[in-house]
Amino acid sequence: MKNFQKQLTTAYSRPRASAADAERGQKNMVTKVLESLYVIHEDNFTETMDGITTLFRVMDQEPNVSNAPLCRSIIIMATFMIENVFWNVIQKYREHNELHKCCSKIIEDGITNRIGISKAMTEWPELLVGKSFDYSFEPFTSTKCLIDERNDI
């Protein structure tokens, strides 16, 4: 994966003086350094993972920030990552395997009608490969838990 990074640093200063300071001829200088780091991602997965990492960093380094909204954001983003991987796998499987007309129609209709991830993960694996996910084992136990948690937010 190509991972381009570029750091931009802009320093600026501008005079800021109160009326009293201006009378005395004094000027306070406000100086701020703006540092921005961005990464160009090739897919949604790495972009979302980068966002989650940033939120964890904020939770760790900013003691005055409420963790509850950040945790909710992390749950939503982590679920998005799972969904992204699942849809990409389904798409690649369809591209590289000849599907029975019936299976292809069910999946096409599901995509068109925006089938939910829970229903797709329950029905489509068995439809495509003859075996469903076993949610009593990892990573499927955690996946189901995470999706359910996201749906409760």
Side-chain angles (χ1 to χ4, degrees):
M1 179 179 75
K2 296 175 188 170
N3 199 12
F4 302 100
Q5 293 186 344
K6 184 174 183 181
Q7 187 169 346
L8 304 173
T9 304
T10 306
Y12 67 89
S13 60
R14 62 182 164 89
R16 183 174 167 173
S18 68
D21 289 338
E23 286 177 16
R24 291 190 301 261
Q26 298 174 348
K27 291 186 178 181
N28 295 330
M29 296 294 288
V30 176
T31 303
K32 175 73 178 166
V33 175
L34 172 64
E35 187 175 288
S36 175
L37 176 70
Y38 69 90
V39 179
I40 298 173
H41 299 275
E42 288 187 8
D43 57 26
N44 292 344
F45 185 87
T46 57
E47 185 173 14
T48 306
M49 190 64 215
D50 194 38
I52 290 172
T53 303
T54 300
L55 290 178
F56 278 128
R57 192 175 318 114
V58 168
M59 290 172 65
D60 186 48
Q61 296 174 356
E62 299 291 334
N64 296 327
V65 173
S66 174
N67 285 346
L70 296 179
C71 288
R72 285 193 293 273
S73 297
I74 290 169
I75 289 169
I76 290 167
M77 293 168 75
T79 306
F80 171 76
M81 289 173 57
I82 291 168
E83 291 178 3
N84 188 37
V85 169
F86 180 78
W87 298 122
N88 286 341
V89 167
I90 294 295
Q91 179 183 352
K92 294 289 183 199
Y93 188 86
R94 291 175 62 219
E95 288 173 5
H96 299 290
N97 293 283
E98 180 123 0
L99 300 180
H100 188 273
K101 248 185 192 176
C102 176
C103 295
S104 185
K105 173 92 171 103
I106 290 171
I107 292 174
E108 288 290 332
D109 289 346
I111 291 170
T112 301
N113 297 325
R114 301 180 58 86
I115 186 172
I117 188 69
S118 295
K119 187 172 182 179
M121 288 181 74
T122 301
E123 297 175 2
W124 290 1
E126 187 170 0
L127 183 68
L128 294 172
V129 297
K131 187 175 180 183
S132 61
F133 293 146
D134 187 347
Y135 289 101
S136 63
F137 293 100
E138 292 295 345
F140 304 110
T141 303
S142 294
T143 299
K144 183 164 177 29
C145 179
L146 191 61
I147 291 170
D148 291 345
E149 187 68 31
R150 188 272 320 263
N151 291 342
D152 288 341
I153 291 178

